[in-house]
Amino acid sequence: MNANLLKTPIVYLKGVGPNRAASLQSELGIATYEDLLYLFPNRYIDKTQFYKIAQLQRSGADVQIIGKIINIKTVEQKKGKRLVATFIDETGEMELVWFRGQKWIRENIKLNTLYVVFGRCNWFNGSFSIPHPEMELLTDYEQGLQIVMQPIYPSTEKLGNKGITNRVISKLIQQLFLELKDRFAESLSPQLLHELRLMPKKDALFNIHFPKDQELLAKAQFRLKFEELFYMQLQLISKKIQRKLKIKGYNFDKVGKLFNDFYAHHLPFELTDAQKRVIKEIRADVGSNAQMNRLLQGDVGSGKTIVAVMIMLLAIDNGFQACLMAPTEILANQHYEGIKNLLDGSQINCALLTGSVKKSERKPIHEALENGVLQILIGTHALLEDKVLFQNLGLAIVDEQHRFGVAQRAKLWHKNEIPPHILVMTATPIPRTLAMSLYGDLDISVIDELPPGRKPVKTVHRYDNNRLKVFQFLKEEIKKGRQIYVVYPLIQESEALDYKDLMDGYESIVRDFPLPDYQISIVHGKMKPADKAYEMDRFVKGETHIMVATTVIEVGVNVPNASVMIIESAERFGLSQLHQLRGRVGRGADQSFCILMTGHKLSSEAKTRLETMVLTNDGFEIAEVDLRLRGPGDLMGTQQSGILNLRIADLVKDNDILKTARYYALRILKDDPGLEHIDNLVLRHTHTQLLKHRNIWNYIS
Ligand code: ADP
Ligand code: MG
């Protein structure tokens, strides 16, 4: 019954009408009773106290006073008129002042009648005054809800201009409660309410709008935040369970010759414990008859590639093809070269497909894919083209996933009838809370250990005017046989300027590091792919000492001999990008350095970023700082922030509630995956309703 009532168009609420309905819809997206009910206040003004005029302080605070107006007059002044009322209570006298809307006040104000007055009290010209006070007749106040913690609602300038003030919204919500009476269905199960001592739904909704005190407000907030996060987790986890039950996956049950041979004879190094553990987790997953959808997180340099290779071998052992998709050509090339090296001597057929592979070379690749001769395909987005058809793709690996859109992942999925196992690898550490929310329906493996012998990169922050010293240091490093990256920012909005900076920087480096002693490479997005590859190749082979580049080298590039990373205009990079860039060095046995160059003018946020980089090499720690600085939506990019459209919970601040919610969602679904038990009926019902009316979840792969 009340579900329907809640869907009533807002225009029917007493006090709304067509004009206000239109404004509420366009400004706040409020179309129904329910939307208004769920417009939660941003904050509250404490009105638990009443003051007497004699108690007022000159410091200028919000005060609430009961008293009456004994006279009202217009005072002429240089900059227009003001309306001044003399307001008294039994202890003294003060002024109420209006600069705008004077006519309305004059016509409507009642003299010698008790009012409750609220506003910021000033000390001015020897008396206390409140400009533009909020006023309500004492009799109305006594009949109303007697709001002691005044809710402040989200608003817009337009709403204010249309007279839909905070007070009006508050009144409308009061009216809403009158019309809805107590008819709010409970949406959590009795067990949850009991076990967590949660406030019932109807009380929570009332107290979130009109709390009587701080304690009730806190309880209402907890209840509603819990509910929001609980259903988010319930949704994600049940999706995962359903996927495992319903979506059949290829079963890689054989551990065959290729995998074993490689493991026994061709591993170039001993795997770290973390790598071994992750391989085990993945093997269990691909051998479980269900489709794998797993995120592999591992800091830069933690050795994800070898894990990918071994799982690809497993796929081939079981008679399937595998593909590895990288976000840039450079990275795809590098993966191709590296993997071909690793598989040298085996009979495995491996090919590279990127945008710059010639048409004539593509045809044989397409054919070999379709007749199954080709076992591993490595490439870029080019893999997603409709022409690329596999005979039996069993495993798709996506490297550095944060560069891939959701749609692209979905496309990979549809390359054959039974979806391949999907492994998404990322070096962008995602804070746990965020991972739980964004990827709660994926399985996650983490490589939390770097290969032995790595020296942590030393990071320093230097100002531009110390450049000469920095150059001197570079010359010493080059003398030791090391190579150097110099990276410039490149941002679309300022592209032309950024290219100029890059070229200026390049020229000054060429001047300071002259031929023939020094060889310098440059790589940027305006170059032809072939030229880029050529320059990159020279650097990889050690033929050039310095690589000047934009962030194209950010992701994945591996040159162990490079030991210095200079980041120009470092204040313009985000934390995760800085961390990614720094990960390009420190890959060999030598001590590596990261030098963050900036000017002297720095915002406080930029300072925090630079300090964080200097302080720690731990990607997860950096991700936490990033989350605090930028907030979850921004951190994950707009396309993925949909799920973060939370009404009341905050993923950063409500971390503990999120964990609790996830724990309970897991526990309930483990015992009753279909929510069929009578105790869980209310959960199933609410869950279904949410799915029907909100589509924010659908983006997840
Ligand atoms: P990422 O996780 O950033 O993709 P890579 O797979 O590129 O890291 O590995 C970084 C470097 O570490 C490579 O040169 C790789 O050969 C090396 N490496 C990976 N695993 C190990 C290991 N267990 N022991 C020693 N070196 C390793
Ligand atoms: Mg990598």
Side-chain angles (χ1 to χ4, degrees):
M1 49 89 211
N2 60 54
N4 289 335
L5 191 54
L6 284 175
K7 299 283 175 246
T8 311
I10 196 67
V11 67
Y12 295 119
L13 185 70
K14 193 175 158 221
V16 176
N19 286 338
R20 282 184 169 177
S23 302
L24 287 170
Q25 166 81 55
S26 65
E27 293 303 300
L28 296 174
I30 292 171
T32 63
Y33 279 24
E34 185 173 39
D35 295 336
L36 184 62
L37 183 65
Y38 282 92
L39 179 76
F40 294 151
N42 288 332
R43 60 191 177 89
Y44 304 82
I45 294 174
D46 193 336
K47 287 187 175 173
T48 38
Q49 275 229 51
F50 280 94
Y51 287 83
K52 298 288 177 206
I53 292 174
Q55 293 172 320
L56 296 179
Q57 304 284 324
R58 293 187 191 183
S59 50
D62 284 337
V63 295
Q64 179 171 245
I65 307 166
I66 296 174
K68 53 191 171 190
I69 292 175
I70 51 169
N71 88 67
I72 192 158
K73 60 176 191 277
T74 302
V75 178
E76 297 281 349
Q77 54 185 27
K78 267 192 217 130
K79 285 182 261 164
K81 294 179 283 194
R82 68 194 151 109
L83 189 65
V84 179
T86 309
F87 181 71
I88 62 162
D89 69 2
E90 63 278 15
T91 69
E93 170 178 326
M94 66 183 295
E95 288 180 344
L96 307 177
V97 186
W98 292 266
F99 303 93
R100 301 177 306 271
Q102 299 179 15
K103 181 163 171 276
W104 193 90
I105 296 284
R106 257 206 186 277
E107 284 166 7
N108 289 281
I109 212 89
K110 295 197 169 92
L111 292 184
N112 299 310
T113 314
L114 285 173
Y115 276 96
V116 177
V117 163
F118 180 87
R120 172 69 41 98
C121 175
N122 298 323
W123 173 254
F124 184 70
N125 264 354
S127 81
F128 287 106
S129 66
I130 300 179
H132 290 274
E134 289 174 24
M135 300 189 61
E136 187 173 15
L137 285 170
L138 182 63
T139 47
D140 288 352
Y141 173 85
E142 282 169 349
Q143 278 165 20
L145 287 168
Q146 303 191 13
I147 293 167
V148 285
M149 305 254 300
Q150 185 185 313
I152 304 295
Y153 290 97
S155 184
T156 67
E157 209 179 306
K158 266 207 190 131
L159 276 184
N161 291 344
K162 296 223 156 122
I164 307 181
T165 58
N166 189 64
R167 193 177 139 80
V168 168
I169 290 182
S170 174
K171 284 272 175 217
L172 291 178
I173 292 175
Q174 288 179 48
Q175 179 61 31
L176 190 65
F177 274 93
L178 280 177
E179 291 190 22
L180 292 173
K181 306 256 167 30
D182 258 353
R183 294 187 288 169
F184 298 106
E186 179 52 61
S187 47
L188 289 173
S189 62
Q191 286 85 340
L192 280 173
L193 291 175
H194 174 76
E195 209 169 313
L196 286 155
R197 293 165 197 272
L198 297 173
M199 188 182 254
K201 175 85 162 216
K202 68 177 172 54
D203 299 344
L205 284 173
F206 185 79
N207 279 289
I208 200 74
H209 290 290
F210 309 114
K212 283 262 176 276
D213 57 45
Q214 293 288 356
E215 201 187 324
L216 285 170
L217 174 61
K219 284 198 138 172
Q221 283 173 327
F222 185 86
R223 144 83 207 214
L224 294 170
K225 285 176 177 183
F226 176 84
E227 176 172 347
E228 185 166 46
L229 295 169
F230 174 79
Y231 279 107
M232 172 209 231
Q233 290 301 320
L234 198 76
Q235 165 64 11
L236 290 165
I237 297 163
S238 72
K239 195 162 177 170
K240 179 155 118 186
I241 293 173
Q242 293 305 320
R243 193 184 68 233
K244 295 209 162 166
L245 287 175
K246 282 207 194 117
I247 306 183
K248 275 196 89 56
Y250 298 120
N251 202 355
F252 296 180
D253 52 0
K254 273 191 286 223
V255 181
K257 190 166 175 329
L258 291 172
F259 185 94
N260 283 329
D261 234 33
F262 186 80
Y263 193 81
H265 306 298
H266 299 288
L267 268 180
F269 36 66
E270 168 107 20
L271 294 178
T272 63
D273 287 344
Q275 284 169 322
K276 286 183 198 160
R277 188 192 66 237
V278 161
I279 290 172
K280 227 190 231 165
E281 286 168 4
I282 298 173
R283 271 176 54 181
D285 217 357
V286 295
S288 72
N289 278 318
Q291 186 226 6
M292 173 171 77
N293 215 337
R294 185 171 284 271
L295 184 71
L296 173 58
Q297 277 193 279
D299 217 336
V300 274
S302 61
K304 294 184 291 294
T305 314
I306 196 85
V307 173
V309 168
M310 299 204 55
I311 304 305
M312 291 200 276
L313 292 180
L314 199 64
I316 301 167
D317 269 338
N318 284 273
F320 292 98
Q321 293 167 301
C323 71
L324 169 60
M325 188 160 66
T328 63
E329 287 209 7
I330 289 178
L331 192 53
N333 278 325
Q334 196 176 287
H335 271 319
Y336 177 68
E337 294 298 331
I339 290 171
K340 242 184 23 188
N341 262 337
L342 282 171
L343 299 179
D344 199 24
S346 75
Q347 299 300 309
I348 295 172
N349 277 319
C350 182
L352 174 71
L353 185 64
T354 64
S356 45
V357 170
K358 288 198 205 83
K359 242 193 175 161
S360 58
E361 289 166 22
R362 284 186 189 212
K363 220 164 157 230
I365 294 180
H366 290 163
E367 280 169 15
L369 265 187
E370 281 174 58
N371 62 30
V373 170
L374 196 56
Q375 290 144 307
I376 294 180
L377 183 62
I378 296 170
T380 53
H381 296 71
L383 299 197
L384 297 173
E385 284 166 15
D386 293 334
K387 273 184 232 144
V388 181
L389 294 169
F390 292 81
Q391 189 194 49
N392 57 351
L393 180 66
L395 169 70
I397 300 180
V398 182
D399 197 15
E400 307 298 355
Q401 168 273 345
H402 63 290
R403 293 253 180 133
F404 275 104
V406 175
Q408 290 163 320
R409 270 197 275 162
K411 214 162 173 189
L412 223 127
W413 175 299
H414 292 300
K415 284 236 173 254
N416 38 354
E417 273 159 52
I418 296 187
H421 295 298
I422 294 191
L423 182 67
V424 171
M425 307 199 291
T426 174
T428 309
I430 300 160
R432 259 188 68 75
T433 42
L434 214 50
M436 267 197 263
S437 322
L438 281 172
Y439 303 116
D441 69 328
L442 302 186
D443 292 295
I444 300 184
S445 288
V446 182
I447 305 183
D448 50 7
E449 179 187 356
L450 292 181
R454 295 270 169 80
K455 294 197 183 81
V457 179
K458 275 191 188 150
T459 303
V460 295
H461 171 202
R462 293 286 178 266
Y463 293 102
D464 289 336
N465 52 2
N466 281 324
R467 193 171 297 277
L468 281 182
K469 263 199 188 153
V470 171
F471 279 6
Q472 195 49 46
F473 172 74
L474 298 188
K475 285 183 178 160
E476 285 160 23
E477 284 294 300
I478 292 172
K479 214 180 270 165
K480 290 190 213 154
R482 304 287 112 77
Q483 290 165 283
I484 289 152
Y485 292 106
V486 183
V487 176
Y488 283 83
L490 182 62
I491 294 163
Q492 242 160 16
E493 295 87 68
S494 54
E495 204 183 82
L497 259 176
D498 285 347
Y499 270 115
K500 188 176 175 305
D501 282 353
L502 172 78
M503 295 320 289
D504 289 353
Y506 173 68
E507 274 159 29
S508 101
I509 287 171
V510 170
R511 241 179 286 121
D512 275 274
F513 296 82
L515 289 164
D517 291 352
Y518 299 100
Q519 296 286 335
I520 304 185
S521 285
I522 180 164
V523 169
H524 59 74
K526 284 197 174 165
M527 291 163 67
K528 289 202 193 90
D531 296 341
K532 262 195 269 186
Y534 172 78
E535 286 288 314
M536 201 60 221
D537 198 44
R538 291 212 307 148
F539 189 68
V540 172
K541 286 188 184 138
E543 292 169 12
T544 57
H545 301 103
I546 301 179
M547 160 65 73
V548 180
T550 54
T551 43
V552 282
I553 60 134
E554 176 189 343
V555 171
V557 174
N558 189 23
V559 181
N561 189 50
S563 68
V564 185
M565 165 64 63
I566 311 237
I567 304 176
E568 294 288 346
S569 304
E571 76 278 10
R572 292 179 54 199
F573 290 88
L575 262 177
S576 75
Q577 230 180 350
L578 290 172
H579 181 63
Q580 278 283 338
L581 285 168
R582 178 167 61 182
R584 298 307 109 216
V585 297
R587 301 189 149 228
D590 312 300
Q591 177 62 57
S592 293
F593 303 89
C594 175
I595 305 176
L596 307 169
M597 302 295 298
T598 74
H600 279 277
K601 250 199 198 154
L602 294 172
S603 71
S604 76
E605 207 188 297
K607 269 186 207 150
T608 307
R609 289 198 297 268
L610 297 167
E611 280 162 13
T612 306
M613 287 298 292
V614 170
L615 223 71
T616 178
N617 275 295
D618 182 331
F620 281 94
E621 231 175 275
I622 290 171
E624 294 287 348
V625 176
D626 210 17
L627 179 61
R628 279 206 304 279
L629 288 178
R630 290 162 62 195
D634 200 24
L635 197 61
M636 300 316 298
T638 44
Q639 49 172 227
Q640 289 181 317
S641 64
I643 198 167
L644 307 169
N645 279 336
L646 297 168
R647 280 178 200 279
I648 184 164
D650 177 319
L651 289 181
V652 180
K653 292 184 196 132
D654 300 321
N655 192 351
D656 289 343
I657 308 180
L658 174 61
K659 281 190 208 149
T660 312
R662 184 166 175 88
Y663 168 83
Y664 280 95
L666 268 169
R667 199 181 80 180
I668 290 166
L669 285 170
K670 196 166 145 261
D671 295 340
D672 182 15
L675 299 175
E676 278 152 5
H677 194 278
I678 180 120
D679 293 342
N680 294 330
L681 274 184
V682 58
L683 300 182
R684 191 172 82 203
H685 177 74
T686 311
H687 182 199
T688 322
Q689 288 296 113
L690 282 173
L691 283 184
K692 245 194 265 166
H693 296 294
R694 281 206 212 163
N695 50 12
I696 60 168
W697 315 104
N698 294 344
Y699 86 93
I700 301 178
S701 64

